[in-house]
Amino acid sequence: MCIREDTVANQDYTVNQLIQIEACTNCQLCADVCPAVTASGEGELSALYRIKGLKEILKGRIGLLRKIFRKRASVEEQLTNFSPTVLDMIRENLAESRNVFGEDNGERCEWVEDLDEAPEDGYIKDKAEVVYFIGCVASYFPLAQKIPMALVKVLEASSVDFTLLGGDEWCCGFPMLGAGLKDMFDEFMRHNLEVVRDKCAEKVIFACPSCFQMWREYYPREVEIIHATQFLMQLVQEGKVPLKRLDITVTYHDPCDLGRGARVFEEPR
């Protein structure tokens, strides 16, 4: 699409559209997956380049925007008010604590102590065939902690040689790319790959759909990665999971990153 300055006017856009133009965080992910850019090798075909052009055009036409917002401040000042300060907090938390919530990263596996029969090693081994990557949410939120608490019990009952990473696990990177903090991502990715490599693991499993999707889409494939539902299905098919019938009705909600993102639909069912 070619944009001509003499044919584009502010009145061609709604207030919401103008805000959306300024909402671009310049993360460049759209360019990374753009078929046109991939095929041609021309970055100018990306949406990122087009939005940049629109911004340049709109800078010279701020009079109408002032009327729209009914304030005398510049467009930049107005649209800054739509930039959430939480992004700065996310960056600081990740830089200092290695997790998005700013919690003590060494406490990622404290939920293990709440198990009825917590092992002395806290499920953290020097070497293991499988690494269970927990994720920030399930590590710190009491309600979400029920997920890893249940999963480790199943893995243990199925005689799976697995380990947790404890404080060596860092954020998968999902909040960074979502917030346009791509500059931080590489360090976290390299670290997580290194600690998995040190465990000599052959496989990494995830219960968090977003962590799974991040590793699936943005991490180099050094080890096999698999969502917990897929891994559990394999164990069931191999007869390793002790099962009993439960007379209950269950409604299953497909997580967006697992269903639409990773196309995993059958195994959870």
Side-chain angles (χ1 to χ4, degrees), residues 16 20 37-38 101 154 160 194 206 215 235 245 249:
N16 187 49
Q20 289 175 350
V37 174
T38 301
F101 305 115
V154 176
V160 175
E194 183 64 29
F206 310 82
W215 278 67
L235 294 177
R245 186 176 185 85
T249 300

Side-chain angles (χ1 to χ4, degrees), residues 54-266:
L54 285 173
K55 286 183 177 180
E56 291 298 320
I57 293 172
L58 293 174
K59 280 182 181 179
R61 305 180 180 220
I62 63 175
L64 180 59
L65 276 180
R66 286 178 178 172
K67 292 182 180 179
I68 291 175
F69 288 107
R70 297 181 181 179
K71 293 183 180 179
R72 296 183 178 180
S74 67
V75 176
E76 289 78 10
E77 292 173 332
Q78 288 290 340
L79 294 176
T80 296
N81 296 328
F82 295 102
S83 176
T85 56
V86 70
L87 296 185
D88 295 329
M89 182 182 69
I90 289 175
R91 179 187 285 276
E92 292 174 4
N93 288 347
L94 290 169
E96 296 175 5
S97 305
R98 306 305 183 184
N99 63 79
V100 71
F101 305 115
E103 299 287 345
D104 184 345
N105 209 58
E107 298 178 356
R108 273 184 178 269
C109 293
E110 278 203 343
W111 51 267
V112 174
E113 300 175 5
D114 295 328
L115 294 171
D116 294 335
E117 299 179 6
E120 293 185 3
D121 62 7
Y123 294 118
I124 299 177
K125 305 175 183 177
D126 292 333
K127 309 291 180 183
E129 295 178 4
V130 176
V131 165
Y132 171 23
F133 192 94
I134 302 170
C136 296
V137 175
S139 293
Y140 297 110
F141 277 68
L143 184 61
Q145 286 173 347
K146 295 180 180 179
I147 297 172
M149 292 175 72
L151 183 55
V152 295
K153 290 181 180 179
V154 176
L155 296 177
E156 191 172 41
S158 305
S159 300
V160 175
D161 178 25
F162 75 98
T163 183
L164 308 179
L165 296 177
D168 287 332
E169 177 184 306
W170 289 5
C171 175
C172 69
F174 179 80
M176 301 172 209
L177 296 188
L181 305 177
K182 189 178 180 181
D183 57 309
M184 301 183 69
F185 174 71
D186 287 344
E187 178 190 1
F188 281 68
M189 177 188 66
R190 287 194 300 267
H191 171 84
N192 286 330
L193 286 171
E194 183 64 29
V195 293
V196 168
R197 199 179 298 127
D198 289 344
K199 299 291 185 181
C200 298
E202 300 174 359
K203 186 175 300 184
V204 183
I205 65 173
F206 310 82
C208 173
S210 297
C211 290
F212 175 56
Q213 182 70 347
M214 283 301 303
W215 278 67
R216 179 176 176 270
E217 293 290 338
Y218 299 105
Y219 281 56
R221 195 62 55 86
E222 294 187 4
V223 294
E224 180 184 356
I225 64 170
I226 186 170
H227 190 260
T229 55
Q230 297 172 306
F231 186 63
L232 291 177
M233 177 58 74
Q234 292 179 4
L235 294 177
V236 170
Q237 292 172 340
E238 294 169 2
K240 295 181 178 180
V241 182
L243 298 174
K244 65 178 180 179
R245 186 176 185 85
L246 293 178
D247 188 20
I248 60 174
T249 300
V250 176
T251 299
Y252 174 71
H253 174 86
D254 283 289
C256 293
D257 284 332
L258 186 62
R260 288 187 296 175
R263 312 304 297 171
V264 176
F265 295 107
E266 296 302 322

Side-chain angles (χ1 to χ4, degrees), residues 5-51:
E5 183 173 354
D6 59 347
T7 61
V8 179
N10 287 347
Q11 56 262 38
D12 294 329
Y13 302 96
T14 65
V15 174
N16 187 49
Q17 288 172 330
L18 292 171
I19 293 173
Q20 289 175 350
I21 291 173
E22 290 295 332
C24 173
T25 61
N26 198 36
C27 69
Q28 302 179 33
L29 293 181
C30 61
D32 290 343
V33 299
C34 177
V37 174
T38 301
S40 66
E42 295 291 335
E44 294 185 0
L45 294 178
S46 70
L48 188 70
Y49 185 84
R50 302 179 196 183
I51 290 177

